[in-house]
Amino acid sequence: MKAKSLRRERRWALIWSYVFLVVFAVIFLTPPLYMLITSLKTSAEISAVTLPWWVFHPTLENYYALFTSEAYLTFFRNSVVVSLSVVAITMVISILAAFSLSRMRFWGSATLATGVFLTYLIPETLLFIPLFKIFAFVQDWTGIELMNHWWVLIVIFPTLTVPFCTWIMIGYFASIPKELDEAALIDGASYFQVLTRVFLPVALPGVIAATIFAFTVSWADFLYPMAFTTSIDQLVLPAGIVTTLIKGDVFNWGQIMTAALLGAAPPLVIYAFLMDYYIAGLTAGATKG
Amino acid sequence: MANGVATDAAARLPASRRRAARRRFARHKSWIAFFMALPLIALIAALVVYPALYSLFLATLNKGMERFVGLGNFTFLFQRDLFWMVVKQSVIFAVSAVIFKALIGFVVAHFVHNIPAKGQRKWRGMLLVPWVIPPAMSTLAWFWLFDPSYSAFNWVLSRIGFHNVPWLGDPLWARFSVILVNVWYGAPFFLIMYLAALKSVPEQLYEAAAIDGANWWQKIWYVTLPMMRNIIAITVLFSLIVTFANFDIVRILTAGGPIDQTHVFATWAFQLGIEGGDLPLGACVSLFMFPILGVAAYFILRDINRRGNEA
């Protein structure tokens, strides 16, 4: 009798769990779905007084308009070049640093490891104004014009990615048994070989997780491009969509939603294929280290 | 290769010389280590620490940045009502958003944890989508959902017999909306962290609690929460930092309006410093993020030290 009621209780708990999960999934997925719905509509249908949650006359004209738009393709290209460069720079800096901090140690290395973590406390929203001024006087001194060039983002985005990636990599490197690199060193490998032949293959999941993190962060950043780039040919996607497609009070919502959806696509595709690495990277900071 | 040679040589030397060689080698090694970490040190020093310190100096200049005014910018801010409004709004925004993110994340994590392990991956995958989409893009979608004349939300509300809601037009509703979007964006992060934590609670603890006659509430209160305490603390702390420094959502949804009622530190600093051309005043405003970040730093450092002692 008791067992039966317990089983029934379990079944109800399960049913309720599913009910609430469906509710939350609907809430969580509404904005992206609405992007998709709007992107398939004509301007006439968007401004018509009909059911907004359904597409009556699906069209790809918004997609076509964006793929033939010089400006949008420039944003996309800038974003791709910036993000890939930032990923490369980030991985080199953070893997070298993580190897050095987790295995070799030097005077002050423990303090540095803590310091890397603490850079999280100095957010970009605190740095963009002094950087703005610093760029101005760097130009005065050296003649290099930093303001309003997309490549300046390659220089400053690593500040957003390197600390956390280093932290992820320290966590993974620290979990590699010391015997492994000692054995390699005794066999006559140099430190560089220990890193490339032993550590990187063993910590590959960490490398992938850090790469994904670096890519998504530099792809998504909005404040630095807004503060440091203004010309249409220098903008990256988020800033480009927000500043150029919204012109005064005229909103071409079909195109804005299409642009936003296409802009969200690369991180979403990466996430769809590498979800486990993505999540490993997210939770690495708290459960490891 | 050089290191390999050094160890070979060391093996053939008498003990005292060997010790000296080892010391020299260790010194050599620490130099290599230092050079490997040098790019990181240079990056953080040049583009994080230096600008942060420089903003302290910048905040003491006048608008044209040619004259030192001491704390003049600060006293100017203290006299403005708008400044205190921004302080209040930043705190309300960050604290309420983090509380709701934490609660929703906790509840949904339990639901996901409840269902059979086979289906969990699929649900987790769907529920994390808001976190994956770049916030600037998803906020545009929210902006469109809130649109005053074509709002898809208001369409639904009017069908079920409610009045239209001025989502972004009315100060109170606009404040609600920016928090709502922030909760939507951040709750999945909590969900993932909690789910990882829930998985690490040993099943035996629940069995023991069940044998002792604990109901579901007592299981959560006496087993789950104490076991997850550390992860909850870390996640809340991080989320608080990020939410407090948030820029994207408020900037895109309201740009601070209506009548500056939804400004937080970051958006107001941007408006004053970059758009208004008063960099020192903007620097001044963003510096007010320091106190709360300092408190966060204290807790994180304490946590790191404690972990360091355990290791």
Side-chain angles (χ1 to χ4, degrees), chain B:
Chain B
M1 291 315 280
N3 303 321
V5 174
T7 34
D8 281 342
R12 272 181 262 112
L13 295 171
S16 63
R17 297 261 308 272
R18 206 184 304 164
R19 221 175 297 131
R22 201 181 299 149
R23 227 182 356 251
R24 205 162 47 236
F25 170 62
R27 209 155 47 216
H28 177 63
K29 177 182 146 185
S30 78
W31 271 110
I32 299 179
F34 175 73
F35 280 115
M36 286 173 90
L38 195 58
L40 172 81
I41 298 171
L43 179 83
I44 290 180
L47 292 172
V48 178
V49 175
Y50 171 61
L53 295 177
Y54 183 72
S55 81
L56 285 174
F57 169 69
L58 194 60
T60 62
L61 300 179
N62 71 336
K63 185 175 177 181
M65 286 176 283
E66 72 279 319
R67 195 160 45 80
F68 179 79
V69 293
L71 297 177
N73 285 321
F74 291 91
T75 51
F76 172 73
L77 281 178
F78 289 153
Q79 287 160 3
R80 292 183 67 177
D81 290 338
L82 184 54
F83 171 75
W84 295 109
M85 201 290 301
V86 171
V87 173
K88 212 175 76 189
Q89 171 62 10
S90 294
V91 173
I92 293 173
F93 175 79
V95 172
S96 57
V98 169
I99 289 175
F100 281 106
K101 281 187 248 192
L103 283 177
I104 292 173
F106 191 76
V107 170
V108 181
H110 268 91
F111 289 138
V112 177
H113 193 61
N114 261 349
I115 65 174
K118 223 169 29 188
Q120 284 186 13
R121 218 181 103 88
K122 200 175 61 196
W123 284 100
R124 195 183 57 173
M126 272 196 285
L127 293 168
L128 193 62
V129 165
W131 177 262
V132 180
I133 301 175
M137 317 282 180
S138 52
T139 308
L140 280 172
W142 280 98
F143 190 30
W144 171 220
L145 284 163
F146 288 145
D147 188 273
S149 32
Y150 305 106
S151 169
F153 286 155
N154 281 348
W155 190 89
V156 174
L157 286 180
S158 69
R159 284 307 127 121
I160 53 177
F162 285 97
H163 286 293
N164 273 1
V165 172
W167 295 102
L168 303 172
D170 172 78
L172 217 58
W173 275 109
R175 285 176 176 178
F176 169 79
S177 301
V178 289
I179 293 169
L180 173 71
V181 176
N182 196 292
V183 170
W184 173 85
Y185 167 66
F189 176 65
F190 279 85
L191 161 71
I192 288 303
M193 298 299 264
Y194 289 167
L195 206 52
L198 278 176
K199 297 252 179 284
S200 68
V201 180
E203 196 60 35
Q204 293 95 306
L205 291 182
Y206 292 112
E207 281 162 20
I211 289 167
D212 290 344
N215 58 26
W216 66 271
W217 170 247
Q218 286 167 321
K219 280 183 198 166
I220 288 180
W221 190 253
Y222 292 109
V223 180
T224 316
L225 281 178
M227 290 301 286
M228 287 171 62
R229 220 185 62 192
N230 275 342
I231 288 200
I232 292 177
I234 293 172
T235 317
V236 166
L237 207 57
F238 269 97
S239 183
L240 203 58
I241 297 170
V242 176
T243 314
F244 207 71
N246 185 281
F247 172 78
D248 308 13
I249 291 172
V250 175
R251 172 75 197 177
I252 293 174
L253 274 187
T254 65
I259 40 172
D260 291 330
Q261 294 298 298
T262 55
H263 265 312
V264 291
F265 284 126
T267 55
W268 201 43
F270 188 88
Q271 190 178 318
L272 289 174
I274 308 291
E275 294 180 323
D278 194 341
L279 288 178
L281 200 60
C284 221
V285 170
S286 58
L287 277 178
F288 277 96
M289 281 186 272
F290 252 147
I292 185 154
L293 298 173
V295 173
Y298 169 76
F299 282 108
I300 289 178
L301 270 180
R302 208 181 57 170
D303 185 64
I304 286 181
N305 285 338
R306 203 189 296 145
R307 273 199 215 171
N309 293 340
E310 277 165 13

Side-chain angles (χ1 to χ4, degrees), chain A residues 115-180:
Chain A
V116 168
F117 198 65
L118 286 182
T119 52
Y120 252 73
L121 295 171
I122 309 179
E124 50 173 348
T125 35
L126 209 142
L127 296 176
F128 73 101
I129 288 180
L131 280 174
F132 196 90
K133 176 68 181 149
I134 288 168
F135 285 177
F137 64 65
V138 165
Q139 187 179 348
D140 286 346
W141 284 345
T142 62
I144 304 169
E145 195 186 328
L146 293 170
M147 206 56 82
N148 199 11
H149 288 294
W150 58 267
W151 47 259
V152 80
L153 301 176
I154 299 177
V155 181
I156 45 177
F157 277 176
T159 57
L160 305 172
T161 55
V162 165
F164 193 66
C165 288
T166 307
W167 196 249
I168 294 179
M169 292 317 299
I170 288 178
Y172 276 92
F173 284 170
S175 68
I176 296 174
K178 274 215 164 57
E179 289 75 20
L180 212 57

